[in-house]
Amino acid sequence: MTNEELAIRIQDGETELYTQLWDNTKYLLFRIMRSKLNSAMIPNHITIDDLRQEMYFALCKAVNYYDREKSFLFSTYLP
């Protein structure tokens, strides 16, 4: 199932599919995060788990904003 199909099904109430969408997109989210934080100094109290949680929230937000009527890939909605 494509990321676009997963996002649509999640929007339609199949929230258990978040796990599959996360597995499909987490490496892309990590690359996006790394590119944005490339030169930033991250405080010591922020852990990788904190960053992972923020990426998951970004994924959830992208699902909410995904517009099934447009022909964009789901990945364009990621931060």
Side-chain angles (χ1 to χ4, degrees), residues 8-27:
I8 289 169
R9 289 180 62 180
I10 292 168
Q11 287 176 344
D12 290 341
E14 296 182 59
T15 56
E16 69 276 1
L17 294 175
Y18 267 115
T19 304
Q20 186 176 351
L21 186 58
W22 170 253
D23 288 340
N24 290 356
T25 59
K26 65 184 172 187
Y27 296 111

Side-chain angles (χ1 to χ4, degrees), residues 20-77:
Q20 186 176 351
L21 186 58
W22 170 253
D23 288 340
N24 290 356
T25 59
K26 65 184 172 187
Y27 296 111
L28 174 59
L29 284 163
F30 275 113
R31 284 196 315 242
I32 292 169
M33 180 195 63
R34 188 189 299 159
S35 71
K36 290 184 179 201
L37 297 176
N38 193 22
S39 61
M41 294 294 293
I42 300 173
N44 290 335
H45 67 274
I46 296 176
T47 67
I48 190 69
D49 289 333
D50 294 330
L51 296 174
R52 186 177 293 119
Q53 183 177 11
E54 289 301 318
M55 290 186 302
Y56 188 81
F57 291 151
L59 173 72
C60 294
K61 187 182 260 189
V63 168
N64 289 334
Y65 285 117
Y66 180 71
D67 187 348
R68 63 180 82 194
E69 301 299 320
K70 296 184 179 175
S71 60
F72 297 115
L73 293 174
F74 174 74
S75 60
T76 60
Y77 288 83

